[in-house]
Amino acid sequence: MIINLNQFISAEKPYWDELETVLEQIEKKPEQGMSLEHLKRFHYLYQRAAADLAKIMTFSAEPHIRQYLELIVSRAYGEIYESRDVSSAWSPLKWFWQTFPQTFRTHINQFWLALITMLIGCLLGGLLVAIDPSTKEFLLPFSHLHDDPSQRVAKEESSSKDRLAGAKANFSSYLMTHNTRVSIFTLALGITYGVGTLIMLFYNGVILGAVFWDYIAAGETSFLFGWLLPHGAVEIPAILVAGQAGLVLAGALIGWGGRPLTFRMRFRAISDHLVTLIAGGAIMLIWAGIIESFFSQYHEPVIPYAVKIAFGITEILLLTWFFARAGRLSPDGHATQATH
Amino acid sequence: MAASRTDTLTIETPEGIVFSLQLAGPLTRFLAWCVDMACIAAITGGLNTVLSVLGVINRDIAMAAVALAYFIVSVGYGMATEWFWRGQTVGKRLLRLRVADAQGLRLQFSQIAIRNLMRFVDSLPAFYLVGGLACLLSAKAQRLGDLAGNTIVVWIPRISQPDLKQLLKDSPNSFTAYPQLCARLRHRVLPREANLALQALLRRDELADDARVKLFSEMAGYFRTMVAFPQEADDSISDEQYVRNVADILFSSKDGRL
């Protein structure tokens, strides 16, 4: 049986238009709530459009009207059956001081796994250079690290001119963008069931271990810590946080966690966490990039190593406090940072 | 996940209504990506020119600003446009594609962010080979970013209501003088056959003259086998007018039912 298409469209179009208007409003300002009356009307319009769709599919194969109805019904369906929270107003401060550390603690096991992987890489890198110092030429990606550490220290400490003069900002931006790229890549490799993420962490560990052993064996421990701690105290944890995010992604892929959730539900549950972790890590890398360019590259006699090491240790302590304590709920239910 | 590959995503609502979203293929998506690459190149080129002016004051800061701007635009372009245009970039808009939630629900920012961050793996080793392969092999044409972000890319058809005034134009319908035959016609013609007649009439101007004459001749011949109208109603009209009269009866008659 064929329906009277003209009559059908004339009768129903005002309702479709009204539904479209409501959808436009919701999609423009999803955080804006609806009164009960508006909600009831929205639901009615959705059901009416859905019924029209059913009718047109049953009685007529007219494709344009069907596609149009499918489109508005699908948009309304997405709004009506979405159960995830729409935060009323996103606050960057609240996100940084509460959401980020809370998310970090939620997935602390993945962080420990990332740390252990990097430490194993570190041990292996150190061991390889200890057994055969020539391996550092293959292990270390930067040519300036291939030289004898003592010679480099002597050269840096005796240099009277600022080799980064007029290029600090550019160097800093290079560090920020490069390290953020590495972090995103480490996260994205989580899709390889975490294997790629673990390899990235392990490889970074190998490089660190090789550099550490090379400088310590050469008796340049103060220089090493004075050079690496100020920026490394934040940069290395940032890479670990990216690794943590990659392992969270891998966990969702594999189905860790015990709860009988479907593949889609697991991904849905972690999507906000992944973005929080990687964005938090990127902020840490901005800080690390500034410090590495403007502070870490200056050695004695310009800046005493004790000052640089103390600066790095202070950063580690603050970072530890941040991840361990920030955003914890006090007994009255408020986040500790929110009260400050 | 569905085991076999499909070009539509069918969603059934709790009310039992089924609607489908047409999935975009890898080639269309690749073309959209090419457009987006051109946009990114244009934006960064423009920013490069503007920020280079800073070089007059401080060359170091100008170079840093250019490097940061390039990074932010190349990573943030997809996220920003897909968020503000509800799942569309410039390339996707041009090719009528849209990123949607894989379950038909509201698209969240975190989903958009993840699918864009995953481009770092999807684009390996070059020209989105990993993403393209994943898209070809996936049941829902999802690249790895779509899989992690729980998204799909759908094709949005151009929506337009049929212009039913085209049906009759100025010619009177000689068949309406035979209401019993009209009723029989409505009873016998299937919805898909009626739709074929409607679409042929609506798209008549898109057909070459020969093809149009042939098509309407075949259609009129087919409808004549279903109901035979008296010779005086049929004789003086062309095959196209015959189909026009049939469609008018099927879609616009006053006693048609909803």
Side-chain angles (χ1 to χ4, degrees):
Chain A
M1 192 67 71
I2 314 297
I3 63 170
N4 184 335
L5 208 57
N6 260 344
Q7 210 175 84
F8 178 70
I9 293 171
S10 317
E12 294 304 303
K13 195 163 184 311
Y15 295 101
W16 303 341
D17 290 343
E18 190 183 343
L19 178 59
E20 270 203 283
T21 310
V22 176
L23 283 167
E24 288 286 334
Q25 285 167 355
I26 295 172
E27 286 166 354
K28 227 176 253 178
K29 290 185 178 172
E31 73 283 357
Q32 207 168 47
M34 262 190 193
S35 68
L36 187 62
E37 282 310 305
H38 282 103
L39 208 59
K40 276 183 184 168
R41 181 69 183 168
F42 176 43
H43 193 244
Y44 168 74
L45 291 169
Y46 160 70
Q47 287 191 317
R48 187 163 185 132
D52 288 343
L53 175 62
K55 203 175 283 175
I56 207 144
M57 284 170 107
T58 314
F59 294 116
S60 166
E62 210 303 298
H64 286 118
I65 296 295
R66 197 193 72 225
Q67 285 169 347
Y68 168 75
L69 280 173
E70 280 189 331
L71 203 67
I72 57 168
V73 167
S74 68
R75 281 167 68 194
Y77 168 80
E79 295 300 333
I80 284 174
Y81 288 97
E82 178 57 77
S83 57
R84 285 171 294 187
D85 184 36
V86 179
S87 48
S88 52
W90 184 73
S91 157
L93 282 178
K94 189 181 171 196
W95 171 83
F96 185 76
W97 289 106
Q98 291 181 26
T99 313
F100 179 34
Q102 283 169 356
T103 308
F104 173 85
R105 289 193 292 269
T106 303
H107 301 286
I108 192 68
N109 288 339
Q110 283 85 341
F111 177 79
W112 293 131
L113 181 57
L115 180 64
I116 289 166
T117 307
M118 192 179 260
L119 284 176
I120 292 171
C122 228
L123 282 173
L124 186 76
L127 196 67
L128 287 171
V129 175
I131 294 167
D132 180 4
S134 67
T135 53
K136 72 178 182 181
E137 287 182 24
F138 305 106
L139 295 178
L140 304 179
F142 309 109
S143 58
H144 69 276
L145 296 174
H146 297 167
D147 302 333
D148 178 53
S150 298
Q151 279 179 5
R152 182 194 168 198
V153 173
K155 192 176 157 189
E156 298 262 1
E157 289 180 350
S158 62
S159 173
S160 57
K161 68 170 187 179
D162 182 359
R163 65 186 166 85
L164 280 176
K168 285 192 200 76
N170 193 25
F171 182 51
S172 183
S173 68
Y174 163 75
L175 293 167
M176 286 174 202
T177 54
H178 174 264
N179 289 336
T180 306
R181 274 199 180 92
V182 171
S183 294
I184 295 172
F185 194 56
T186 308
L187 155 72
L189 283 174
I191 202 77
T192 60
Y193 289 88
V195 175
T197 301
L198 291 174
I199 290 172
M200 282 292 283
L201 292 167
F202 181 79
Y203 174 63
N204 276 288
V206 169
I207 296 172
L208 267 178
V211 172
F212 266 72
W213 181 260
D214 197 29
Y215 277 74
I216 290 169
E220 302 296 350
T221 310
S222 299
F223 176 89
L224 175 75
F225 284 107
W227 165 44
L228 288 183
L229 261 186
H231 65 275
V234 178
E235 186 184 296
I236 295 166
I239 299 291
L240 287 170
V241 167
Q244 175 187 24
L247 294 174
V248 171
L249 176 61
L253 201 60
I254 296 164
W256 284 337
R259 283 187 297 166
L261 298 175
T262 63
F263 182 80
R264 278 186 195 161
M265 284 162 82
R266 294 198 298 268
F267 273 88
R268 197 172 283 279
I270 59 147
S271 61
D272 282 344
H273 294 194
L274 292 185
V275 176
T276 296
L277 289 173
I278 201 68
I283 288 171
M284 291 165 71
L285 289 170
I286 291 171
W287 172 257
I290 294 167
I291 296 299
E292 184 169 359
S293 183
F294 289 88
F295 188 65
S296 292
Q297 304 301 325
Y298 296 94
H299 313 289
E300 280 185 347
V302 181
I303 305 173
Y305 293 135
V307 171
K308 293 178 79 179
I309 292 169
F311 182 80
I313 290 172
T314 308
E315 281 180 310
I316 291 173
L317 292 173
L318 286 174
L319 201 61
T320 307
W321 173 84
F322 174 75
F323 280 131
R325 306 295 311 167
R328 273 193 191 278
L329 293 178
S330 58
D332 60 353
H334 291 98
T336 49
Q337 276 307 305
T339 57
H340 285 197
Chain B
M1 265 174 62
S4 60
R5 193 178 156 74
T6 171
D7 60 354
T8 54
L9 175 74
T10 306
I11 293 168
E12 186 172 353
T13 71
E15 294 88 354
I17 306 299
V18 176
F19 61 87
S20 56
L21 301 168
Q22 235 174 317
L23 297 169
L27 185 65
T28 328
R29 291 178 66 173
F30 182 75
L31 290 174
W33 174 77
C34 291
V35 174
D36 289 332
M37 283 294 104
C39 288
I40 289 173
I43 295 168
T44 50
L47 280 173
N48 202 352
T49 312
V50 172
L51 293 171
S52 296
V53 178
L54 275 175
V56 179
I57 305 162
N58 189 313
R59 191 176 146 74
D60 181 30
I61 289 176
M63 287 171 72
V66 167
L68 285 175
Y70 175 74
F71 178 75
I72 291 166
V73 171
S74 59
V75 174
Y77 166 86
M79 288 187 213
T81 50
E82 284 176 8
W83 178 240
F84 287 112
W85 287 339
R86 297 199 300 273
Q88 288 189 302
T89 58
V90 175
K92 288 190 177 82
R93 275 175 100 100
L94 281 176
L95 287 139
R96 303 214 306 277
L97 306 181
R98 187 189 288 278
V99 180
D101 180 90
Q103 286 157 289
L105 299 176
R106 190 195 305 132
L107 194 62
Q108 306 278 317
F109 176 76
S110 56
Q111 293 178 281
I112 291 171
I114 290 167
R115 75 182 300 281
N116 279 289
L117 291 175
M118 292 301 290
R119 289 183 191 279
F120 279 70
V121 172
D122 274 318
S123 59
L124 289 175
F127 299 109
Y128 275 77
L129 195 65
V130 168
L133 279 175
C135 200
L136 280 172
L137 296 172
S138 152
K140 289 176 191 154
Q142 290 172 296
R143 61 174 176 82
L144 297 180
D146 290 318
L147 210 64
N150 211 13
T151 54
I152 49 168
V153 179
V154 296
W155 179 73
I156 307 160
R158 205 185 294 276
I159 304 298
S160 60
Q161 292 173 8
D163 183 8
L164 297 176
K165 285 176 189 164
Q166 282 278 325
L167 288 178
L168 265 185
K169 292 200 170 162
D170 296 326
S171 328
N173 189 344
S174 54
F175 295 174
T176 50
Y178 309 95
Q180 283 174 328
L181 294 177
C182 290
R184 193 177 300 164
L185 185 76
R186 277 197 296 276
H187 179 72
R188 288 187 179 173
V189 175
L190 296 171
R192 67 168 183 276
E193 294 163 343
N195 183 56
L196 271 178
L198 180 64
Q199 293 303 318
L201 289 165
L202 293 173
R203 296 177 189 178
R204 70 175 299 281
D205 295 336
E206 297 168 29
L207 301 170
D209 291 345
D210 290 353
R212 187 165 62 224
V213 169
K214 193 176 172 206
L215 175 71
F216 283 116
S217 163
E218 284 179 14
M219 290 185 98
Y222 179 73
F223 285 123
R224 279 186 182 105
T225 62
M226 299 186 118
V227 175
F229 282 91
Q231 215 168 4
E232 61 265 28
D234 188 352
D235 256 3
S236 56
I237 59 172
S238 65
D239 288 335
E240 183 176 338
Q241 186 57 44
Y242 192 99
V243 176
R244 204 178 287 281
N245 287 355
V246 168
D248 174 49
I249 291 164
L250 297 175
F251 286 101
S252 311
S253 64
K254 290 200 165 41
D255 59 343
R257 45 176 293 187
L258 279 177

